[in-house]
Amino acid sequence: MKRSQPPVVVVTGASAGVGRAVVREFAKDKARIGLIARGRDGLEAAAREVEEAGGQALVLPLDVADAQAVEGAAAQVEDRFGSIDGGVNASFAGVLARFVYMTLQDYRRVTEVTYLGYVHGTLTALKRMLPRDRGIIIQVGSALAHRSIPLQAAYCASKHAIMGFHESLLSELIHDRSAVRATMVQMPAMNTPQFDW
């Protein structure tokens, strides 16, 4: 599709790791990017990289576990840049521990960010994309959605949940003959700050 202006994209988990790498790639296309994560310092650094590459950035520090905050961020992006063309869900929370040593609060937090954060981002994007019948949503998954490992029960379960959610959504879009697209990219082990955090 030819476009007269660079794309408008929202990326969660934009302050570091895979999300930050995605931001850098979109910046090469001069994209206008809504940057979502909890850490303002990482977001500000990502915004500088976007602007140095010729793109535009809007820093949106928030917790993706908060559905209303995600909705508010999307409204800010569209007010500033126009219609959202793409959404990338790359946020996560993790706990490295044997399951029996995790607290229920730990398990709940990982699930709320890593799984429900994707649900919130997807619903917010679809609310805008479906009436326009265009757009793409990208779920950053993991090989751990297919094969779980020790010490990451909540994270693995969340990635499994994302895959189930994504496949249901995909079948609904196909059924409706929607031009809105959704895809899930299953990442291998990556050298990211995940294990330092």
Side-chain angles (χ1 to χ4, degrees), residues 80-157:
R80 172 100 174 259
F81 297 137
S83 299
I84 295 170
D85 299 302
V88 180
N89 290 308
S91 56
F92 83 94
V95 174
L96 289 174
R98 288 174 55 105
F99 172 69
V100 294
Y101 297 142
M102 290 178 64
T103 66
L104 289 177
Q105 290 81 7
D106 287 338
Y107 207 93
R108 182 175 293 114
R109 180 66 182 156
V110 172
T111 304
E112 288 174 348
V113 173
T114 308
Y115 170 53
L116 290 179
Y118 279 46
V119 171
H120 299 156
T122 301
L123 285 172
T124 297
L126 288 175
K127 178 180 171 183
R128 290 156 173 80
M129 293 176 178
L130 289 174
R132 299 172 186 147
D133 200 30
R134 65 178 179 81
I136 185 165
I137 299 167
I138 301 169
Q139 316 292 12
V140 176
S142 171
L144 301 182
H146 297 275
R147 179 70 170 147
S148 295
I149 62 173
L151 306 179
Q152 294 195 63
Y155 180 81
C156 292

Side-chain angles (χ1 to χ4, degrees), residues 41 75 77 96 99 101 140-141 150 167 171 184 195:
D41 290 345
V77 169
L96 289 174
F99 172 69
Y101 297 142
V140 176
E167 289 176 355
S171 66
M184 186 170 182
F195 300 106

Side-chain angles (χ1 to χ4, degrees), residues 149-173:
I149 62 173
L151 306 179
Q152 294 195 63
Y155 180 81
C156 292
S158 294
K159 290 300 184 178
H160 276 76
I162 292 165
M163 187 167 66
F165 161 68
H166 166 73
E167 289 176 355
S168 289
L169 169 63
L170 192 58
S171 66
E172 291 173 12
L173 293 172

Side-chain angles (χ1 to χ4, degrees), residues 28-42:
K28 292 177 183 177
D29 291 331
K30 313 291 189 260
R32 295 164 292 163
I33 310 172
L35 306 171
I36 294 177
R38 287 172 289 169
R40 180 175 284 280
D41 290 345

